[in-house]
Amino acid sequence: MKKFWVLLKKEIKELMTAQLILPFVIVVIIFYFIGGYLQNETKKVNTNYQPIAIMDLDQSQLSKEIITFLESQNFKIDKFVKSNLTNDFENYLKENKINSGIIIPQNFQIDAESLRAPHLMTYSQITGFSLIASMKSASLPTVTALINNLVSDKIINGKIKSDNAALLKNPYITVENVMINNKTAVTSARQIITFASQQTMFIPIILFMVIILSAQMVAVAIATEKENKTLETLLSTPVDRKIIVSAKMLAAGIIALVMAAVYMLGFKNYINGISGGSFSSSGEGIKDAITQLGLSLSNSDYIILGIGLFVGILLALAIAMILGAFAEDAKSAQSVIAPLMVLTLIPYFLTLFADINTLQPIIKYIVYLIPFTHTFLAGQYLTLGQVQPVILGIIYQFVVFIIFVYIAARIFSSDYIMTMKLNFGKKNKI
Amino acid sequence: MKPLVVKNLKKSYGKFEAVKGINFEIGNNEIFALIGPNGAGKSTTLKTIATLLTPSDGQILVYGEDISEKQEKAREFISYLPEEAGAYKRLSGKEYLKLLASLYSDDDRKIKEFYDRGVAIANLGLKINDKIATYSKGMTRKILLARALMVMPKLAILDEPTSGLDVTNAIYIRNIIKEYAKKGMAVLLSSHNMLEIEYLSDRVAIIDKGTIYETGTAKELKLKHKADNLEEVFIKVASK
């Protein structure tokens, strides 16, 4: 056992190179700072910090009411009064870097009340095509919708001598119910899907990262030993080959898990920034519904999910050990794990974008034969309260893992670890 | 019990027979050398005895243990220095010796004993504290030899121990091998350097195309083939 810990320590030390850690740390720091910056910027955009310039050429009761109404809705209204000329208004927008502008034309009230459809002119000044730049003029459609509502309400109330324009436009109220398995809750389906998607989106990303990272590390670790001519010495020592294999696998798994966890913290911050903080707060308005529908994962669900992830990683490591034995050096190790990447990418993309149960049967069963499919589906199934398919998936993965570990142990205990390589028809050289 | 008994050893890679049924034995404290040209089967023989390759046929006994059946037990008696060996470059010399010492024993006292011996054999002075990546070829070979001999194996298998070294380092390594053989170690080595073999070895086997043609002391072989040196012996044997 002592030899295992000695080897594990050595494997971790070998893997923790500057080439591995430095780019990773830089990416995480960038994610963190960009996320923070984006969160601030999107907050500014979303909370009506962006001014809207209005040139009121009508100067009617209605136009004044529109402006007062918009101010009451906390929009920052910049009244342009210096001129009645459109060119001057446009220049004003440019000089003052105001992204949104509205011109209320002359006779607006008269034409609107006479149902002659006056033209309300809006101006969106685009200064860039980034997310933040595009959000700066994103409030204009909301403003024009509010104006439309106000004006139409006034016209309807005026025409039918009623003050119930809202009810006339929306004569009924929709009560949304969501059913999941045998549970029902009164809530919006879109909100539930958004919440669940956000929760289940992270799990496949983490899994994919950990699986690919750890597999790459194990394959490179073996190939590097071959390249640096240290493998023969290691294999000739009185250490059980299974201990050598286990130490390499565990070292790669530990580092991959830590890297994935840190990466996801940075990535979550970044996504939060893009969504203006809405990513992490999407569940707040529908907490009761989430509980009623049983969508929150219990402690036992997390344990099952953890076991599934662990078995999935072990399986990837076992496969990587076998593939790594084919590599002659660290460079070729990157390419030998291509089959493993394919086996991981297929279920990864399918679980993110498709419903596997709606696939054609033969394709569905092929996808289910890929062990990693069950790892990626576990989060979704558990969220829906379906434990049995997850347990069956874990058992299936474990059986496949045992088979691959047996093969890996056989390779490491035999000549194959010394002689195996992708030689494309060339003779093996000893 | 003899440190090494090789009986009718065969090793094939697919259809190619690298070793075609060789027999030899090594006694206690004996330095036994395999000499032959490139591709003769020397390294294959050494790797098979070091348990890195599996014999296709035949038997190898290391202190009575059949390595085909008890590989791990056999490895406790063996220490192997490959021709093209490397060390973990991110470790310092002493970290490397400590790591390898820990793989040969769980007893802290034994590990320290191995380590201290390894530092003495390596004879690198303060450089032992530096990363192996900074070592010259000679220094690396010294640390590797130290690793191989520090555990006082019953059988040291050294493949071209002085390959690529300058005269000073080569002489140093030869002297260390001789010194440790006297301390109770059997040594199986291979080399192209006939002078080195004559200086070091007690007995020699000439191997070519996977077959051992002659075995004996250098003196016996030179007498038998009326040669001045082992090179001449080899040429005469190979031409037959």
Side-chain angles (χ1 to χ4, degrees), chain B residues 64-76:
Chain B
E65 304 288 350
D66 188 335
I67 66 162
S68 303
E69 287 161 18
K70 291 183 182 175
Q71 277 194 352
E72 271 176 56
K73 185 73 186 165
R75 285 183 203 129
E76 289 175 19

Side-chain angles (χ1 to χ4, degrees), chain A residues 64 130 265 285:
Chain A
K64 286 177 181 143
S130 66
L265 280 173

Side-chain angles (χ1 to χ4, degrees), chain A residues 261-312:
Chain A
V262 174
Y263 184 87
M264 286 317 297
L265 280 173
F267 186 65
K268 193 170 180 181
N269 206 50
Y270 172 70
I271 294 290
N272 242 357
I274 289 175
S275 61
S278 63
F279 193 87
S280 55
S281 64
S282 63
E284 281 172 16
I286 51 169
K287 265 188 185 149
D288 290 340
I290 290 166
T291 311
Q292 264 183 284
L293 293 168
L295 290 181
S296 47
L297 296 181
S298 63
N299 287 337
S300 57
D301 287 336
Y302 278 115
I303 290 170
I304 295 170
L305 196 61
I307 293 171
L309 169 65
F310 183 63
V311 174

Side-chain angles (χ1 to χ4, degrees), chain A residues 307-308 310-316 318 371-372 374-375 390-406:
Chain A
I307 293 171
F310 183 63
V311 174
I313 294 170
L314 286 180
L315 176 56
F372 301 111
H374 304 276
T375 315
V390 179
I391 302 283
L392 289 173
I394 290 173
I395 293 171
Y396 170 64
Q397 282 187 291
F398 192 71
V399 168
V400 176
F401 163 69
I402 295 294
I403 293 169
F404 276 107
V405 159
Y406 175 75

Side-chain angles (χ1 to χ4, degrees), chain B residues 148-180:
Chain B
L149 300 183
M150 70 178 176
V151 298
M152 287 302 290
K154 297 226 167 55
L155 174 66
I157 304 170
L158 311 175
D159 196 346
E160 306 274 358
T162 60
S163 168
L165 297 184
D166 61 32
V167 171
T168 314
N169 283 319
I171 289 171
Y172 176 81
I173 284 175
R174 279 178 217 139
N175 289 338
I176 290 285
I177 293 169
K178 248 195 151 46
E179 180 189 331
Y180 273 78

Side-chain angles (χ1 to χ4, degrees), chain A residues 351-404:
Chain A
T351 51
L352 274 185
F353 299 115
D355 183 354
I356 286 178
N357 290 315
T358 61
L359 294 173
Q360 285 193 16
I362 187 152
I363 297 173
K364 188 167 79 171
Y365 292 129
I366 290 171
V367 173
Y368 274 127
L369 273 176
I370 302 172
F372 301 111
T373 302
H374 304 276
T375 315
F376 288 115
L377 283 177
Q380 285 184 26
Y381 278 137
L382 289 171
T383 305
L384 291 171
Q386 296 168 16
V387 179
Q388 199 190 35
V390 179
I391 302 283
L392 289 173
I394 290 173
I395 293 171
Y396 170 64
Q397 282 187 291
F398 192 71
V399 168
V400 176
F401 163 69
I402 295 294
I403 293 169
F404 276 107

